Amino acid sequence: MDEENKKTQEKEGTTYEMTQDELNNLISKTVDEMLVAKFQQKAEEQREKILESKEVVNEETKNADEKTKDFFKALLSDDRQQIKALTTATNDTPKAGYTIPTELLNEVLRFAEVYGLARRKMRYLPFTGAGNSRTLPKLGSSVSVYWTDEGAAKTSTEPVFDTITQTLKKLAAIVPMTEELLEDTGINLTALIGELIAEEIAKAEDTQFLAGTGSPWTGVLNNASCVQHAIDATSIANLTADDLLNLTDKLTGSKKIGAEFYWHPSITTIIRQLKDKNDRYIMDGPSAGKPGAVWGFNYNETEVLPGLTDDAVNKKFLFFGNLNKCAIIGDKKQIQVKMLDQATITDTDGETAINLAEQDMVAMRFVERVGYVLALPEGIAVLKTGRSGT
C-alpha cells in the first residue's frame, strides 16, 4: 500500500493493514539497527575505558594516533600511494593485505603482553629472515666428569645436542566498526584497535599453546611427552593436598626451579579448602603485589584450561612447570591488515550475520604469523583424573 493511501485511511479513521513485504522490511530494519547499536555500544565502552585511564596524552601519542587514522582512511579509499608512505614494508599487496604502521604494531604487542598468559610466561624468540620454520638446538645430554688418578689419562666427554623444529602458522582476527568511528576525533584509535586485536590474539594463543588438542597446535597440557601423574580419584572435585604435593615431586633438581601451577579459576575453589597434615591451608592467596602460592609455588589461573564442569575419567586438568625454560613462542613482527566493506561476516555470538555494506560498517581483518614449541616437555608435570598408576 502506497504512502498516500495510508494517510487517507488514517485521516478517515480506518485501520491500516501492513502488507507482508512491509512487515519483513520493518523486521529487517529493526535487526540492522540493533546490530549497529550493539557495535557502537562496544566501541563506546572501549572509548570510556581509554578515557578513564588518566594517561597523559603527549605529542608523540597524538602523532601516532593521527598516523593510524590516516592509514585506515587510506585503506578505505584504497589510496595505495598513501598506504605505502605510512608503512615501511615493501611486500604488501592489495590481495593479501598491508603491513600495519609501526605505531599500531607496538600498541598491539604492548596489550598482548598484558593479556596473554602464554606470552608472559613462555620464552620469546622472534623469527628473523626468510622462511616459515626454523630449527632450534636442544640439549640432549650434558658433559660427564670422572675421578682419575694423578698422572692417569683423562676421559673425554662432550654434550649431545638434539634439534626441534618450530613452524609459523597464521592467526587472524576480524574487528568490525562503523565508518564514523574511524573518523571520530574524540577517541584514541591506536589504543582502541590495539586492545581489541591483542585481546583476540592473546585468547587464541593461550587456548592453543596451553590447552590445544592438535589443530593447529598441541598445547602444554596435552603433550604426551610431559610427565604424567594421576590422582587417586575419578573426579577433579576429589583433588587432595597430597595430589598437588606429589605432582611437584615429579620434577627434580633444576626442573623445579621457577616452576608454577596452572589451572582453571573454578579449581581454585577446591584448592583453597585443602589443608596439610598439620591442619594448615596449603594455599596463600595473593596480597600486596605478591602472587598466590600453593605448597610454596606460585599459581596461575586461566579460563582456557579444563574446569570443574569438564570433569571426566582420565581428564588432564592442570600442570606444573617453568614455561620460560620449557616452551618457546616466536613470531614475525609483521601483522597484515585488510579492510573489508562489502563482505558478510559473523557476529561474536557465532550465529548472527552482519552485512557490512548495508549497515554502514567496515571490518578490519588482521593476520599474524606465530609459532610455538614445547622444547622441554620433561620439565612439565601434568595432573589428570583416574587411579594412581594409570
Side-chain angles (χ1 to χ4, degrees):
M1 180 175 293
D2 57 34
E3 190 67 22
E4 183 177 350
N5 289 335
K6 176 182 174 183
K7 292 180 179 179
T8 300
Q9 288 189 6
E10 291 176 345
K11 183 176 181 180
E12 295 175 352
T14 57
T15 303
Y16 167 63
E17 295 182 0
M18 183 177 293
T19 66
Q20 186 62 45
D21 288 341
E22 289 174 324
L23 178 60
N24 291 338
N25 290 336
L26 178 61
I27 294 175
S28 177
K29 180 180 179 182
T30 303
V31 172
D32 288 348
E33 290 175 348
M34 290 174 61
L35 288 172
V36 173
K38 178 178 179 181
F39 279 101
Q40 287 176 331
Q41 179 183 0
K42 288 182 180 179
E44 189 64 31
E45 290 173 355
Q46 294 293 334
R47 178 188 349 214
E48 292 177 358
K49 185 187 299 184
I50 294 169
L51 293 177
E52 291 173 358
S53 64
K54 297 181 181 180
E55 295 179 356
V56 177
V57 181
N58 54 31
E59 195 63 31
E60 183 178 347
T61 301
K62 291 180 180 179
N63 291 337
D65 193 47
E66 286 302 317
K67 186 173 181 179
T68 300
K69 290 180 180 179
D70 290 342
F71 173 74
F72 284 115
K73 289 177 181 178
L75 277 181
L76 274 173
S77 60
D78 196 25
D79 187 345
R80 300 177 188 179
Q81 184 175 355
Q82 175 72 343
I83 293 172
K84 186 176 180 180
L86 293 169
T87 60
T88 57
T90 57
N91 60 344
D92 292 336
T93 64
K95 184 176 180 180
Y98 298 93
T99 302
I100 65 176
T102 302
E103 292 79 3
L104 178 57
L105 174 62
N106 292 338
E107 194 74 4
V108 173
L109 295 176
R110 181 174 73 86
F111 277 116
E113 292 296 330
V114 172
Y115 290 114
L117 185 61
R119 279 191 175 264
R120 291 201 308 272
K121 296 296 183 178
M122 295 180 179
R123 183 176 296 276
Y124 175 71
L125 295 176
F127 272 73
T128 56
N132 199 47
S133 62
R134 63 183 176 186
T135 300
L136 299 172
K138 171 186 174 182
L139 183 64
S141 60
S142 188
V143 297
S144 300
V145 295
Y146 305 90
W147 294 102
T148 183
D149 295 329
E150 185 175 348
K154 311 300 186 295
T155 303
S156 299
T157 181
E158 63 181 10
V160 177
F161 290 95
D162 296 329
T163 58
I164 54 175
T165 301
Q166 186 178 32
T167 303
L168 292 170
K169 297 182 185 294
K170 286 185 178 180
L171 180 61
I174 294 181
V175 181
M177 293 183 178
T178 60
E179 294 179 1
E180 290 80 5
L181 184 63
L182 296 179
E183 301 173 356
D184 192 342
T185 58
I187 184 172
N188 185 334
L189 190 63
T190 307
L192 169 61
I193 298 178
E195 184 173 355
L196 291 175
I197 305 170
E199 284 180 338
E200 293 305 310
I201 289 177
K203 180 180 178 181
E205 289 179 348
D206 283 357
T207 299
Q208 288 298 320
F209 301 163
L210 299 179
T213 56
S215 180
W217 303 100
T218 297
V220 175
L221 185 72
N222 296 304
N223 191 304
S225 297
C226 293
V227 181
Q228 308 289 316
H229 182 62
I231 66 175
D232 192 19
T234 57
S235 175
I236 298 175
N238 294 325
L239 178 70
T240 68
D242 284 344
D243 288 328
L244 295 172
L245 183 60
N246 292 336
L247 185 68
T248 66
D249 290 338
K250 291 295 179 179
L251 301 184
T252 59
S254 61
K255 296 175 184 176
K256 191 179 291 189
I257 298 176
E260 300 179 344
F261 287 105
Y262 294 82
W263 61 61
H264 190 276
S266 64
I267 297 178
T268 303
T269 304
I270 302 296
I271 297 177
R272 66 159 53 103
Q273 302 176 51
L274 302 180
K275 297 181 179 181
D276 63 16
K277 294 179 180 179
N278 295 316
D279 201 37
R280 294 175 300 192
Y281 290 105
I282 65 171
M283 173 181 281
D284 295 322
S287 61
K290 181 181 178 181
V294 168
W295 287 120
F297 296 96
N298 294 346
Y299 68 84
N300 302 272
E301 297 177 327
T302 172
E303 296 281 351
V304 304
L305 293 180
L308 292 177
T309 57
D310 300 309
D311 208 2
V313 177
N314 291 325
K315 181 72 174 182
K316 299 175 181 178
F317 62 96
L318 67 78
F319 64 87
F320 174 74
N322 186 336
L323 288 182
N324 187 257
K325 288 184 178 180
C326 300
I328 299 172
I329 183 175
D331 56 25
K332 285 196 171 181
K333 287 191 174 182
Q334 289 185 336
I335 297 179
Q336 300 289 112
V337 59
K338 185 173 183 179
M339 188 71 75
L340 310 176
D341 59 359
Q342 299 295 322
T344 297
I345 65 174
T346 303
D347 190 8
T348 53
D349 60 8
E351 299 178 358
T352 307
I354 302 172
N355 188 307
L356 299 176
E358 290 182 355
Q359 296 167 214
D360 295 327
M361 299 181 70
V362 294
M364 288 163 280
R365 186 191 66 191
F366 296 88
V367 177
E368 175 196 46
R369 296 170 66 199
V370 63
Y372 142 86
V373 65
L374 187 59
L376 296 172
E378 60 269 27
I380 302 292
V382 175
L383 195 61
K384 64 179 183 178
T385 60
R387 295 294 177 184
S388 296
T390 60

